[in-house]
Short mmCIF file of all heavy atoms in Angstrom, two decimals:
data_model
loop_
_atom_site.label_atom_id
_atom_site.label_comp_id
_atom_site.label_asym_id
_atom_site.label_seq_id
_atom_site.Cartn_x
_atom_site.Cartn_y
_atom_site.Cartn_z
N SER A 227 2.94 -5.36 -4.38
CA SER A 227 2.53 -5.77 -5.71
C SER A 227 3.74 -6.17 -6.55
O SER A 227 4.89 -5.95 -6.18
CB SER A 227 1.75 -4.64 -6.38
OG SER A 227 2.54 -3.46 -6.42
N ASP A 253 2.04 4.34 0.11
CA ASP A 253 1.51 5.27 -0.89
C ASP A 253 -0.01 5.13 -0.93
O ASP A 253 -0.60 4.39 -0.14
CB ASP A 253 2.18 5.05 -2.25
CG ASP A 253 1.77 3.71 -2.90
OD1 ASP A 253 0.90 3.01 -2.35
OD2 ASP A 253 2.35 3.38 -3.95
N ARG A 257 1.07 0.63 -0.82
CA ARG A 257 2.38 0.01 -1.05
C ARG A 257 3.46 0.77 -0.27
O ARG A 257 3.42 2.01 -0.19
CB ARG A 257 2.72 0.03 -2.54
CG ARG A 257 1.67 -0.64 -3.41
CD ARG A 257 1.98 -0.51 -4.90
NE ARG A 257 2.04 0.87 -5.34
CZ ARG A 257 2.16 1.26 -6.61
NH1 ARG A 257 2.24 0.33 -7.54
NH2 ARG A 257 2.21 2.52 -6.93
N ALA A 261 9.72 0.87 -1.35
CA ALA A 261 9.81 0.00 -2.51
C ALA A 261 9.06 0.54 -3.73
O ALA A 261 9.39 0.21 -4.87
CB ALA A 261 9.27 -1.39 -2.17
N TYR A 262 8.05 1.38 -3.49
CA TYR A 262 7.21 1.84 -4.59
C TYR A 262 7.14 3.37 -4.66
O TYR A 262 6.23 3.92 -5.26
CB TYR A 262 5.80 1.26 -4.45
CG TYR A 262 5.76 -0.25 -4.42
CD1 TYR A 262 5.88 -0.94 -3.21
CD2 TYR A 262 5.65 -1.00 -5.59
CE1 TYR A 262 5.86 -2.32 -3.17
CE2 TYR A 262 5.63 -2.38 -5.55
CZ TYR A 262 5.74 -3.04 -4.33
OH TYR A 262 5.72 -4.42 -4.30
N GLY A 263 8.06 4.02 -4.05
CA GLY A 263 8.01 5.48 -4.01
C GLY A 263 8.61 6.17 -5.22
O GLY A 263 8.47 7.38 -5.38
N LYS A 264 9.30 5.40 -6.05
CA LYS A 264 9.95 6.03 -7.20
C LYS A 264 9.55 5.30 -8.48
O LYS A 264 9.38 4.07 -8.49
CB LYS A 264 11.47 6.01 -7.02
CG LYS A 264 11.94 6.88 -5.86
CD LYS A 264 13.45 6.91 -5.76
CE LYS A 264 13.88 7.82 -4.61
NZ LYS A 264 15.35 7.86 -4.46
N ARG A 265 9.47 6.07 -9.54
CA ARG A 265 9.07 5.52 -10.82
C ARG A 265 10.23 4.75 -11.46
O ARG A 265 11.39 5.18 -11.40
CB ARG A 265 8.63 6.67 -11.73
CG ARG A 265 7.96 6.24 -13.00
CD ARG A 265 7.36 7.41 -13.72
NE ARG A 265 8.29 8.52 -13.87
CZ ARG A 265 8.00 9.66 -14.48
NH1 ARG A 265 6.78 9.85 -14.93
NH2 ARG A 265 8.89 10.61 -14.59
N ILE A 266 9.90 3.64 -12.08
CA ILE A 266 10.92 2.82 -12.73
C ILE A 266 11.69 3.64 -13.76
O ILE A 266 12.92 3.57 -13.85
CB ILE A 266 10.28 1.58 -13.38
CG1 ILE A 266 10.02 0.52 -12.30
CG2 ILE A 266 11.16 1.01 -14.50
CD1 ILE A 266 9.40 -0.75 -12.81
N ASP A 268 12.51 6.66 -13.88
CA ASP A 268 13.48 7.62 -13.33
C ASP A 268 14.75 6.96 -12.82
O ASP A 268 15.75 7.63 -12.60
CB ASP A 268 12.84 8.43 -12.20
CG ASP A 268 11.70 9.29 -12.72
OD1 ASP A 268 11.73 9.68 -13.90
OD2 ASP A 268 10.76 9.56 -11.94
N LYS A 302 6.46 0.05 -20.11
CA LYS A 302 5.54 0.81 -19.24
C LYS A 302 6.26 1.44 -18.05
O LYS A 302 5.62 1.87 -17.09
CB LYS A 302 4.43 -0.13 -18.74
CG LYS A 302 3.67 -0.87 -19.85
CD LYS A 302 3.02 0.07 -20.84
CE LYS A 302 2.15 -0.66 -21.86
NZ LYS A 302 2.90 -1.48 -22.82
N GLY A 303 7.58 1.48 -18.13
CA GLY A 303 8.35 2.08 -17.04
C GLY A 303 7.94 3.49 -16.67
O GLY A 303 7.94 3.85 -15.49
N PRO A 304 7.53 4.34 -17.65
CA PRO A 304 7.11 5.69 -17.28
C PRO A 304 5.84 5.75 -16.44
O PRO A 304 5.53 6.79 -15.87
CB PRO A 304 6.90 6.35 -18.66
CG PRO A 304 7.82 5.63 -19.57
CD PRO A 304 7.75 4.20 -19.09
N GLU A 305 5.08 4.64 -16.37
CA GLU A 305 3.84 4.64 -15.59
C GLU A 305 3.93 3.76 -14.35
O GLU A 305 2.94 3.62 -13.63
CB GLU A 305 2.67 4.13 -16.44
CG GLU A 305 2.18 5.11 -17.48
CD GLU A 305 0.88 4.63 -18.11
OE1 GLU A 305 0.61 3.42 -18.08
OE2 GLU A 305 0.14 5.48 -18.59
N THR A 306 5.08 3.18 -14.11
CA THR A 306 5.16 2.14 -13.09
C THR A 306 6.09 2.53 -11.95
O THR A 306 7.21 3.00 -12.20
CB THR A 306 5.66 0.83 -13.73
OG1 THR A 306 4.81 0.50 -14.83
CG2 THR A 306 5.67 -0.31 -12.73
N PHE A 307 5.63 2.30 -10.73
CA PHE A 307 6.40 2.64 -9.54
C PHE A 307 6.84 1.35 -8.84
O PHE A 307 6.02 0.55 -8.39
CB PHE A 307 5.57 3.50 -8.60
CG PHE A 307 5.34 4.89 -9.11
CD1 PHE A 307 4.41 5.12 -10.13
CD2 PHE A 307 6.05 5.97 -8.61
CE1 PHE A 307 4.21 6.40 -10.62
CE2 PHE A 307 5.85 7.25 -9.10
CZ PHE A 307 4.94 7.47 -10.11
N HIS A 308 8.14 1.14 -8.77
CA HIS A 308 8.68 -0.07 -8.16
C HIS A 308 10.20 0.11 -8.05
O HIS A 308 10.78 0.90 -8.79
CB HIS A 308 8.36 -1.29 -9.03
CG HIS A 308 8.30 -2.59 -8.27
ND1 HIS A 308 7.74 -3.74 -8.79
CD2 HIS A 308 8.72 -2.93 -7.03
CE1 HIS A 308 7.83 -4.71 -7.92
NE2 HIS A 308 8.43 -4.25 -6.83
N ASN A 309 10.82 -0.64 -7.15
CA ASN A 309 12.27 -0.53 -7.00
C ASN A 309 13.01 -1.58 -7.81
O ASN A 309 14.15 -1.94 -7.47
CB ASN A 309 12.67 -0.58 -5.52
CG ASN A 309 12.19 -1.86 -4.82
OD1 ASN A 309 11.56 -2.72 -5.43
ND2 ASN A 309 12.49 -1.97 -3.53
N SER A 333 3.26 -4.12 -11.39
CA SER A 333 3.03 -3.76 -9.99
C SER A 333 1.99 -2.65 -9.84
O SER A 333 1.73 -2.21 -8.71
CB SER A 333 4.34 -3.32 -9.33
OG SER A 333 4.89 -2.20 -9.99
N GLU A 334 1.37 -2.23 -10.94
CA GLU A 334 0.39 -1.15 -10.87
C GLU A 334 -1.04 -1.68 -10.75
O GLU A 334 -1.35 -2.78 -11.25
CB GLU A 334 0.51 -0.28 -12.12
CG GLU A 334 1.80 0.51 -12.19
CD GLU A 334 1.97 1.41 -10.97
OE1 GLU A 334 1.12 2.28 -10.73
OE2 GLU A 334 2.96 1.22 -10.24
N THR A 371 -0.39 8.69 -14.03
CA THR A 371 0.17 8.03 -12.85
C THR A 371 -0.18 8.72 -11.56
O THR A 371 -0.09 8.14 -10.50
CB THR A 371 1.69 8.00 -12.95
OG1 THR A 371 2.17 9.34 -13.01
CG2 THR A 371 2.13 7.25 -14.19
N GLY A 372 -0.58 9.96 -11.62
CA GLY A 372 -0.86 10.66 -10.39
C GLY A 372 0.40 11.13 -9.70
O GLY A 372 0.38 11.61 -8.58
N ALA A 373 1.53 10.97 -10.34
CA ALA A 373 2.79 11.35 -9.72
C ALA A 373 3.06 12.83 -9.91
O ALA A 373 2.59 13.45 -10.85
CB ALA A 373 3.92 10.55 -10.34
N ALA A 374 3.82 13.36 -8.98
CA ALA A 374 4.23 14.74 -9.13
C ALA A 374 5.25 14.84 -10.25
O ALA A 374 5.97 13.90 -10.55
CB ALA A 374 4.85 15.24 -7.84
#
Side-chain angles (χ1 to χ4, degrees):
S227 57
D253 69 6
R257 304 176 300 187
Y262 302 89
K264 294 183 179 179
R265 190 171 50 179
I266 281 180
D268 296 332
K302 306 302 186 291
E305 286 190 337
T306 305
F307 289 76
H308 206 165
N309 57 0
S333 60
E334 292 303 300
T371 60

